[in-house]
Amino acid sequence: MSATVMEPISSKLRSDEKSTFIATCDSIGTTPSNAIRMFVSAFNRCGGFPFDPSNPYGFSDETLQAMSDAAGGRNLIGPFASTDEMWDAILGDDNE
């Protein structure tokens, strides 16, 4: 079995971007090289960006509103005494 030959790639980043990237990689237990390989793999598999570059976080307006509501303590339900009670509130009577 032959060994896979790894090819280097180079990119320029601002100092603050690089520092944040390295810190984020470290916080999730990976290396910058692994993160770049994962991105390239996803990019190649998708035939382009694995996300919408115009909306890189992929959040819909509804999701953004829900996140804003949660952060502001608006339009919330609960707390619940049990997970069954929570699912009843989420699914209504259709879950039986």
Side-chain angles (χ1 to χ4, degrees):
M1 178 190 275
S2 63
T4 300
V5 176
M6 303 299 279
E7 297 286 334
I9 189 169
S10 178
S11 180
K12 301 270 186 196
L13 300 171
R14 291 189 328 252
S15 179
D16 61 318
E17 289 176 321
K18 180 180 177 183
S19 296
T20 300
F21 180 59
I22 291 169
T24 302
C25 287
D26 186 53
S27 75
I28 63 172
T30 194
T31 64
S33 290
N34 280 336
I36 292 167
R37 278 193 295 274
M38 286 184 263
F39 172 76
V40 169
S41 177
F43 188 94
N44 291 342
R45 190 173 46 253
C46 292
F49 286 102
F51 54 85
D52 178 357
S54 67
N55 183 11
Y57 300 105
F59 298 131
S60 67
D61 289 341
E62 180 182 17
T63 299
L64 291 171
Q65 182 61 53
M67 291 166 62
S68 175
D69 285 350
R74 296 179 303 274
N75 300 318
L76 303 176
I77 58 172
F80 302 103
S82 68
T83 55
D84 287 338
E85 186 179 313
M86 175 199 66
W87 284 116
D88 284 345
I90 292 170
L91 301 174
D93 293 331
D94 297 335
N95 67 332
E96 294 182 30

